[in-house]
Amino acid sequence: MRAFIPLRVNEKKYEIYSRYKHFLKDLGYETFFGTTINKDDISFFDILLLPGGGDIYDDHLTDIYDLSSFNTFYNNKKKILGICRGIQVINFALGGTLKNIKNHENTRHKLKKLHVKTNSYHHQAIDRLSKDLSAIDFSSDGIIEIVSGKNILAFQFHPELEDEKKRKFWINYINKNLINT
């Protein structure tokens, strides 16, 4: 199985070459990086991972790479996994809106439904949820932390940065709720 990750303009800053590649390997995927993917090459890939990074509008090239990749995978009914910025890109691409928030950078909080503590590194979050997505879980202050949609699962936090026990929990959760569906 093969995964595609859009490159970041300053990819070393976001460590996508190591942490996401290892996380996807745990999910059973070989990872490929590129700027965008076209419809002729989409059959080569099984899943798109939209990784964390800066806010939308901070870097126009990154926005273009993410949105273009999302649209290609979404329109070809391929699976999409979003992490942090990835959940924001997915919601934005599907017509939802975002908002700036406070007190979520470098913190931990417990999810209301799953009762699992997660990390938090963001200061932007979903404001109005796209009609094509469903909110699965929230932080204690009401921020949407997990969404799903047709062939989509996305997290506002970074499951790949959790300790081994929690990483295994999230690997199993992703397999159950996205990969094996």
Side-chain angles (χ1 to χ4, degrees), residues 9-24:
V9 174
N10 186 359
E11 62 274 352
K12 290 186 192 282
K13 178 179 177 183
Y14 300 114
E15 302 171 18
I16 65 173
Y17 286 116
S18 58
R19 70 181 195 217
Y20 293 119
K21 189 172 183 173
H22 292 304
F23 192 68
L24 285 166

Side-chain angles (χ1 to χ4, degrees), residues 91-132:
N91 188 61
F92 179 81
L94 294 174
T97 62
L98 304 173
K99 63 183 175 182
N100 290 330
I101 59 171
K102 294 181 179 180
N103 303 320
H104 269 256
E105 286 185 90
N106 299 315
T107 63
R108 294 191 66 79
H109 49 263
K110 195 172 194 176
L111 299 180
K112 285 184 176 182
K113 294 179 183 173
L114 293 175
H115 306 291
V116 176
K117 271 199 163 185
T118 63
N119 57 55
S120 184
Y121 297 103
H122 60 101
H123 61 273
Q124 195 173 55
I126 292 174
D127 184 21
R128 185 179 47 79
L129 184 65
S130 163
K131 64 179 178 54
D132 297 316

